[in-house]
Amino acid sequence: MSATIYKHEFFSRLKSVLVWSVSLMLLVLFFFSIFQSFADQAALLNEMMAQFPPALLEAFGITKTDLSSVLGYFSFLLVFVQLCLAIQAGNYGFGLVSIEETELTADFLLTKPVSRLQIITSKLLVAFSCLLLTDLAVTASTFIAIALLSGGRPYDTGTLGLLLVSMLILQLFFLSVGMVISLLVHRVRSVTPYSLALGFGAYILAAFSGIFGDVKLEYITPFKQIDAAYIVLHNAYDMPLLLVNLAVTVVALLASYALYLRRDIPTAS
Amino acid sequence: MSIIEVEHLTKYYGKSRGIVDVSFNVDEGEIFGFIGPNGAGKSTTIRLLLSLIHPTSGNARVFGKDVVTHGPEIRRDIGYLPSEVYYYEGMKVIDLLKYSASFYACDCTARLKELSELMELELNRRISDLSYGNKKKVGIVQGLLHSPRLLFLDEPTAGLDPLMQRKFFDLVRQENARGVTVFFSSHILGEVQRLCTRVGIIREGKIAEISDIHTLQQNNYKKVHITAQGLDPHAFDIPGVTNLQSEDSSVHFFFKGDINLVLRKIAPLQVSDVSIEEPSLEEIFMHYYE
């Protein structure tokens, strides 16, 4: 870990963190601003939901969700927050080391008296800090939204905690998987298409996994591994799936280290 | 003492060749020229020594330490100027240089100032606004500001105007006078000739020749040019003569061997002009590539 790199990287990411954090805070507040009208007309709402084709509801993961409860509603909006967080974390993961090669600054950094272990560790810690800051922003806005806009409806704090922590688990997954993919391909030219593809890809898989109930897609898509609806329903994580998720994260992380330490830095031209 | 020791260093990128079985030494305090055309393996060699890439086989030591295992330690005392300079585009020149300096244990502020003034660098401009030549100047300053013991210059003069080139060469000579070893890679032979004490010639990934620059020039071919009335070009078709060319009453050729043989041939002639000179490195170089 090199404090020099950490400082430099952190400040260069700060703007991105602010934009993501503020956007997500607004997203949460916006969703919650219409919660009361949802909740007040729960009966009507459930009647309306019954009209929708079940496959569509499955795709949005709201079959088992009671939208008139605080956590039910939160778990519904959390899917969108998760999608954003996945794309953000994917961005950081794909760009973590590849950005130095795309912008051809790898030569500069890697000829300094720091080891690659220090470089990748510092960069990972920066990305981790940034994701954590975003999480804190979302958490803060969630508590503010519930306090101001839920009309004092009761909810289970423990389950809310599980939901909020699940964001971090999801972020770490996309961060490390993004990073390992960026090290496996020859050269990442632009980060965003990759992270969008990974984020939306995983999300769509999760949606399909809902439609074809018997196909075991949940083993590969993190949106199913940490399904907000499941957490609300059971007040717990789906342990086997969570472990699969964590295992993928750890393997991707270790593989990234191994690949980066041995990597041949392409010539800048 | 050898600052750089390279033994049987080989690098393949997949199946394509980088360098093959390259061995050489660079001694402390010398300016070692490394010449070869594009794609011969000059940058590959430098990148191996900086551990930007990893050798397929063989090994290399800098300051007596293995480049693969002691990279960070070695790089403390290394300055590197790549052939193409790229920096964080959004940064200001001064911030980049300070960032660069912060990796080293020294207080480089004075040196930073001194070098920037010398290279006429505008410190408050953004990197993205700089021309190629100006980026190169940033490269020079950031390569030198921590007073390294060993300098890697990879085709350093590209993009610099002649005035800046001269300043840069003076700077390299000054550094060398302080005891800094310089590894100077180039395909422009003139500058190598001006600066270097010893050269290694690399060709298709292999070392073709390593020698003292004077020996390279002296022990080799002489360039002979004669103008005389009634000259018979065939008279000079003797062993040791190559590239014999004649036009009208003049003849020129390269000669390797006892120069007296040529002088005896010239003596009976009524010459109007004669010159025997050392070939330029350029011409020697072409010879290695024939």
Side-chain angles (χ1 to χ4, degrees), chain A residues 144-164:
Chain A
I144 293 170
I146 291 177
L148 296 179
L149 302 165
S150 74
R153 282 163 209 275
Y155 65 92
D156 186 316
T157 343
T159 310
L160 181 64
L162 287 181
L163 287 172
L164 291 170

Side-chain angles (χ1 to χ4, degrees), chain A residues 4-5 8 100 104-105 107-108 110-116 261-266 268, chain B residues 11 47 50-54 72 75-76 80 84 86-88 91 99-100 102-104 142:
Chain A
T4 306
I5 298 177
H8 172 81
E100 303 276 351
L104 309 168
T105 47
D107 276 18
F108 170 83
L110 272 73
T111 52
K112 296 284 170 260
V114 282
S115 66
R116 292 195 187 187
L261 294 186
R262 306 188 342 216
R263 186 171 177 81
D264 281 348
I265 306 303
Chain B
K11 174 67 186 174
R47 296 175 78 78
L50 289 166
S51 51
L52 285 169
I53 53 178
H54 297 88
R75 291 197 292 268
R76 253 180 246 159
Y80 170 52
E84 311 254 341
Y86 294 97
Y87 299 117
Y88 305 94
M91 284 177 99
Y99 181 42
S100 179
S102 64
F103 283 97
Y104 302 97
Q142 77 87 21

Side-chain angles (χ1 to χ4, degrees), chain A residues 28-30 32-33 35-36 144-152:
Chain A
V28 172
L29 289 171
F30 169 75
F32 258 104
S33 68
F35 168 65
Q36 291 241 21
I144 293 170
I146 291 177
L148 296 179
L149 302 165
S150 74

Side-chain angles (χ1 to χ4, degrees), chain B:
Chain B
M1 182 199 149
S2 284
I3 290 283
I4 305 174
E5 299 153 90
V6 176
E7 284 165 12
H8 309 293
L9 201 59
T10 299
K11 174 67 186 174
Y12 278 91
Y13 301 99
K15 278 194 174 161
S16 66
R17 165 198 59 77
I19 55 171
V20 181
D21 196 23
V22 165
S23 302
F24 63 87
N25 278 17
V26 176
D27 293 331
E28 181 155 25
E30 74 174 335
I31 305 184
F32 185 82
F34 200 52
I35 38 182
N38 296 327
K42 301 190 297 290
S43 291
T44 298
T45 310
I46 291 185
R47 296 175 78 78
L48 281 166
L49 291 173
L50 289 166
S51 51
L52 285 169
I53 53 178
H54 297 88
T56 310
S57 66
N59 64 75
R61 284 187 301 280
V62 175
F63 308 130
K65 294 167 189 153
D66 188 271
V67 293
V68 177
T69 52
H70 291 77
E73 230 173 291
I74 293 170
R75 291 197 292 268
R76 253 180 246 159
D77 291 310
I78 281 183
Y80 170 52
L81 177 59
S83 50
E84 311 254 341
V85 284
Y86 294 97
Y87 299 117
Y88 305 94
E89 294 276 311
M91 284 177 99
K92 281 185 177 175
V93 174
I94 183 72
D95 294 330
L96 179 93
L97 292 176
K98 279 186 178 161
Y99 181 42
S100 179
S102 64
F103 283 97
Y104 302 97
C106 66
D107 176 30
C108 313
T109 326
R111 184 86 177 124
L112 195 162
K113 254 193 154 151
E114 182 190 327
L115 285 166
S116 316
E117 269 166 34
L118 186 76
M119 296 314 289
E120 296 165 25
L121 200 59
E122 292 165 73
L123 290 173
N124 283 314
R125 291 181 65 182
R126 281 196 188 280
I127 304 276
S128 49
D129 298 337
L130 294 182
S131 68
Y132 184 66
N134 276 323
K135 277 188 201 166
K136 199 93 193 195
K137 291 195 221 166
V138 177
I140 294 169
V141 176
Q142 77 87 21
L144 286 172
L145 55 79
H146 53 288
S147 311
R149 281 168 62 201
L150 170 62
L151 266 180
F152 283 104
L153 309 173
D154 193 358
E155 309 204 353
T157 52
L160 288 181
D161 61 61
L163 207 68
M164 272 302 150
Q165 279 192 22
R166 208 168 71 195
K167 275 190 180 173
F168 173 65
F169 281 143
D170 288 343
L171 194 60
V172 172
R173 282 200 197 93
Q174 270 174 35
E175 288 292 306
N176 182 241
R178 284 200 306 117
V180 173
T181 311
V182 182
F183 188 93
F184 187 109
S185 131
S186 179
H187 64 269
I188 305 163
L189 297 144
E191 54 186 38
V192 172
Q193 207 162 4
R194 272 161 69 191
L195 211 58
C196 300
T197 37
R198 227 154 49 93
V199 289
I201 297 173
I202 187 165
R203 169 189 183 181
E204 288 169 11
K206 291 181 182 142
I207 295 282
E209 168 99 20
I210 292 174
S211 101
D212 191 274
I213 197 137
H214 297 295
T215 351
L216 195 65
Q217 282 169 312
Q218 283 163 7
N219 292 357
N220 257 290
Y221 294 72
K222 298 285 177 196
K223 205 164 76 178
V224 185
H225 185 102
I226 308 158
T227 310
Q229 288 295 324
L231 192 65
D232 174 19
H234 298 293
F236 290 98
D237 207 353
I238 54 174
V241 167
T242 46
N243 276 20
L244 184 67
Q245 285 172 333
S246 63
E247 47 183 286
D248 297 341
S249 55
S250 69
V251 63
H252 53 101
F253 54 85
F254 291 116
F255 180 76
K256 187 178 187 177
D258 183 3
I259 195 70
N260 288 305
L261 290 174
V262 179
L263 291 176
R264 266 177 226 129
K265 290 277 181 195
I266 300 171
L269 295 171
Q270 188 66 34
V271 295
S272 54
D273 188 27
V274 62
S275 69
I276 301 173
E277 53 185 357
E278 283 174 11
S280 70
L281 207 47
E282 205 97 23
E283 283 155 330
I284 298 169
F285 194 51
M286 287 318 291
H287 162 76
Y288 279 105
Y289 280 86
E290 269 160 17

Side-chain angles (χ1 to χ4, degrees), chain A residues 96-189:
Chain A
L96 201 77
V97 288
S98 75
I99 191 113
E100 303 276 351
E101 288 170 27
T102 328
E103 295 184 358
L104 309 168
T105 47
D107 276 18
F108 170 83
L109 190 60
L110 272 73
T111 52
K112 296 284 170 260
V114 282
S115 66
R116 292 195 187 187
L117 192 68
Q118 284 173 305
I119 293 175
I120 190 169
T121 307
S122 314
K123 280 169 166 281
L124 260 176
L125 284 175
V126 169
F128 183 71
S129 315
C130 290
L131 296 175
L132 207 58
L133 280 178
T134 316
D135 273 348
L136 288 177
V138 174
T139 305
S141 71
T142 304
F143 279 111
I144 293 170
I146 291 177
L148 296 179
L149 302 165
S150 74
R153 282 163 209 275
Y155 65 92
D156 186 316
T157 343
T159 310
L160 181 64
L162 287 181
L163 287 172
L164 291 170
V165 170
S166 79
M167 297 193 303
L168 190 64
I169 298 169
L170 188 87
Q171 285 169 316
L172 290 177
F173 177 91
F174 281 95
L175 179 69
S176 53
V177 170
M179 180 164 60
V180 79
I181 295 175
S182 82
L183 285 163
L184 285 170
V185 300
H186 179 62
R187 188 177 268 188
V188 178
R189 294 204 183 276

